[in-house]
Amino acid sequence: MPAISQRGVIMPSSPIRKLVPLSDAAKARGIRVFHLNIGQPDILTPEVALDAIRNAKLPIVSYTHSAGMPEYRRKLSKYYKAAGIDLEPNEMLVTCGGSEAVQMAFMSCLDPLDEVIVPEPFYANYEAFAAAAGACVTPITSTIENGFMLPSIEEFEKVITNKTKAILICNPNNPTGYLYSEQEFQQLRDLILKYDLFLISDEVYREFCYDGAKHYSSMFLKGVEDNVIMVDSVSKRYSECGLRVGLLATKNKEVLAASMKIAQSRLCPPSFGQIAAMASLDVPDEYFKAMNEEYCKRRNFLLEGLNKIPGVYSPIPSGAFYTMAKLPIDDADKFCAWLLEDFSFNNQTVMLAPGSGFYSNRTLGRNEVRIAYVLKIEDLEIALDLLARALKAYPGRTN
C-alpha cells in the first residue's frame, strides 16, 4: 500500500471534533450529551436570510464570480464603512467560510518553512492551515493567570527569525474570549512595521464584545495598510455556520491577486450562501443588541458557576462566547473522554474540548478545557451540575 503524504501525517486532528465518536457512542447508549465543546450558536438564524434562500428564483444554480458576487461585495463595502472600516468591493474576496480565508492568507503570504507567530492558546485549525501551506506556527504563550492577555512585544521579538513572515491574532479570541485593546494593536503595528511582517487578523467574533468594551479592528491601523489582512465570516455573527461564507480583506493588491488565483482554483463561494449572507446585512441593530445581551447573561451565569466549583478557575472573557477553565484534573484529554465513556448522571453528561489541543506545545493546557457558552441558561445549569459531579467522581482528580 502506498504511503500517504507527510502533510497528511503531520496535519493535527481537531481537538474540538476528535471526541465525536465517543459522543456518538454515548448518545447510542441513551445518554443526553450537553455540547459545550463547539462554537455552534443556538441563536436563531435571521428570518431575512432564510427567506432569501426560500424565495430565490434561480433557474440555474450557476457559478458566481470567484471573488464573490459583485452585488454582495458592494453591500459589504457599505456595511464595513458604517463600522468605520474603509473597504472597497475590489479589496475583498468572499471565501468558503473564515477558515478558507485564513488558509488563503497563509497560501498567499507564506512560503514553505516560513513561520507565523500566533499567541497560544489558539484556534486549533490554524496549525492545520499552516501545515497545508508548508509553513510553521511559532507560538508565544499567554496564560490563564493573567487572563490570556497579549504577551509583551519583547516576547514576540524573542521568537522572530529570518523565516518569520507574519503574525496571526484572533480578536476577540477563540478559545480564550480575550479582547485585544487599541494599545495592544498599536504595539503590534510598530512591530510589524519594524520587521516588515504581515498581520493576519481573524475578526469573526467582533460583534461579541461585553461590558461596554469596543472592538478594535486591524483595519484601523495607519501606515501599515499593505501589511494587514482581515478575516471575517457570517458564521457566528448571524448564526449561519453552515452557509460557509467568509471574507478575506486587504489593501495589499499583491495579496489579493495571489488569493484570487487560489480562489479561481476552487471556482467560487456557494451561491445560496452568498444570497443569504447578503440578505443578512439588512438585519437591524436590535438583533445584535439582543444577541449580545443573551450571551452576556450566559457568560455571567457560566463563569459564576464555574468559579464556585472547588478547584476550578476561569477568568472572565470580554468577547466571543468561549472561556478556558482550569480544572483539578491530571489530564484534560483523559477527562473529556471519561465524561463520554464512563460518566453520566440521570442519563446525562457534558462534552468539553481538551485544552491541550489549543496549544502548539501539547504539554501545556493539560488541566484546561475550552467551554463554549452557546446553550441556553437552563441547559448551562444542568451542564454545570454535571461537571461538578463529574469532578468529584473522576479518578484522576488532583486536589
Side-chain angles (χ1 to χ4, degrees):
M1 183 174 68
I4 65 170
S5 71
Q6 280 303 298
R7 183 183 296 107
V9 172
I10 66 174
M11 188 78 68
S13 300
S14 169
I16 306 165
R17 298 179 182 273
K18 69 180 182 180
L19 297 175
V20 169
L22 300 184
S23 173
D24 290 343
K27 292 173 185 177
R29 297 194 305 271
I31 304 296
R32 182 184 179 187
V33 178
F34 288 85
H35 285 273
L36 301 182
N37 63 304
I38 191 167
Q40 172 58 64
D42 66 352
I43 302 295
L44 296 180
T45 302
E47 276 297 315
V48 67
L50 300 175
D51 285 342
I53 296 173
R54 296 182 187 113
N55 299 328
K57 306 298 182 183
L58 298 181
I60 300 173
V61 183
S62 60
Y63 292 124
T64 67
H65 195 292
S66 292
M69 292 176 174
E71 59 270 35
Y72 178 40
R73 285 181 283 137
R74 286 193 293 268
K75 199 168 180 181
L76 275 173
S77 177
K78 294 178 181 178
Y79 163 80
Y80 283 116
K81 287 179 180 179
I85 298 174
D86 182 23
L87 279 172
E88 300 299 327
N90 63 356
E91 295 171 335
M92 313 174 197
L93 196 154
V94 181
T95 58
C96 298
S99 294
E100 187 185 56
V102 176
Q103 193 158 24
M104 281 187 175
F106 283 0
M107 298 288 284
S108 299
C109 299
L110 306 177
D111 286 318
L113 302 183
D114 276 348
E115 299 167 358
V116 53
I117 299 173
V118 189
E120 65 177 357
F122 51 69
Y123 176 53
N125 282 337
Y126 291 154
E127 273 196 319
F129 302 150
C136 307
V137 164
T138 299
I140 55 170
T141 305
S142 62
T143 66
I144 196 168
E145 285 74 20
N146 65 7
F148 297 108
M149 66 185 297
L150 188 73
S152 69
I153 295 303
E154 290 74 21
E155 291 301 309
F156 279 90
E157 292 193 296
K158 285 179 184 177
V159 299
I160 291 176
T161 72
N162 60 359
K163 297 298 290 182
T164 305
K165 197 72 173 291
I167 295 171
L168 168 64
I169 62 168
C170 180
N171 185 44
N173 185 270
N174 174 11
T176 68
Y178 185 81
L179 181 67
Y180 296 114
S181 67
E182 179 179 355
Q183 180 182 5
E184 288 171 317
F185 264 94
Q186 292 299 335
Q187 292 172 337
L188 286 173
R189 174 205 172 275
D190 295 342
L191 188 67
I192 63 173
L193 193 60
K194 179 179 179 179
Y195 291 96
D196 194 25
L197 304 175
F198 288 107
L199 175 63
I200 303 169
S201 184
D202 184 343
E203 302 184 7
V204 304
Y205 296 96
R206 65 187 185 82
E207 298 285 353
F208 302 86
C209 302
Y210 312 118
D211 304 324
K214 301 295 183 183
H215 178 261
Y216 191 86
S217 173
S218 61
M219 301 301 290
F220 294 158
L221 297 174
K222 303 299 182 185
V224 289
E225 287 81 0
D226 281 344
N227 299 66
V228 172
I229 301 165
M230 183 184 77
V231 170
D232 206 351
S233 170
V234 303
S235 291
K236 315 300 182 178
R237 182 172 302 135
Y238 303 109
S239 196
E240 295 172 343
C241 296
L243 285 186
R244 308 315 304 140
V245 174
L247 188 81
L248 181 150
T250 182
K251 300 286 184 181
N252 189 312
K253 291 182 172 56
E254 291 184 357
V255 170
L256 280 169
S259 298
M260 186 61 180
K261 294 176 185 177
I262 300 168
Q264 290 170 335
S265 70
R266 59 89 167 109
L267 303 182
C268 72
S271 301
F272 281 102
Q274 291 178 86
I275 289 170
M278 183 161 50
S280 298
L281 293 173
D282 294 326
V283 168
D285 290 341
E286 287 75 16
Y287 175 85
F288 298 110
K289 182 180 179 181
M291 178 177 67
N292 192 288
E293 289 176 354
E294 174 63 21
Y295 277 117
C296 194
K297 290 177 184 177
R298 295 179 184 188
R299 180 202 64 167
N300 294 345
F301 182 85
L302 175 71
L303 269 292
E304 182 181 358
L306 283 174
N307 287 309
K308 283 182 178 178
I309 300 174
V312 176
Y313 171 69
S314 179
I316 299 177
S318 295
F321 40 60
Y322 307 103
T323 192
M324 292 288 283
K326 181 185 288 187
L327 307 181
I329 54 175
D330 57 349
D331 186 293
D333 289 271
K334 292 179 181 177
F335 176 67
C336 291
W338 176 86
L339 284 171
L340 297 169
E341 290 183 302
D342 300 310
F343 172 81
S344 69
F345 178 74
N346 288 339
N347 285 323
Q348 298 175 120
T349 191
V350 62
M351 188 173 182
L352 310 173
S356 61
F358 299 96
Y359 290 86
S360 184
N361 181 349
R362 296 294 192 261
T363 64
L364 299 177
R366 301 303 299 181
N367 62 346
E368 295 174 5
V369 294
R370 189 195 72 169
I371 300 175
Y373 44 96
V374 292
L375 303 182
K376 59 187 178 181
I377 285 178
E378 292 82 0
D379 288 343
L380 288 177
E381 184 174 18
I382 298 172
L384 281 167
D385 179 65
L386 290 168
L387 177 59
R389 292 176 182 276
L391 287 171
K392 287 182 179 179
Y394 180 56
R397 186 183 174 98
T398 55
N399 62 44

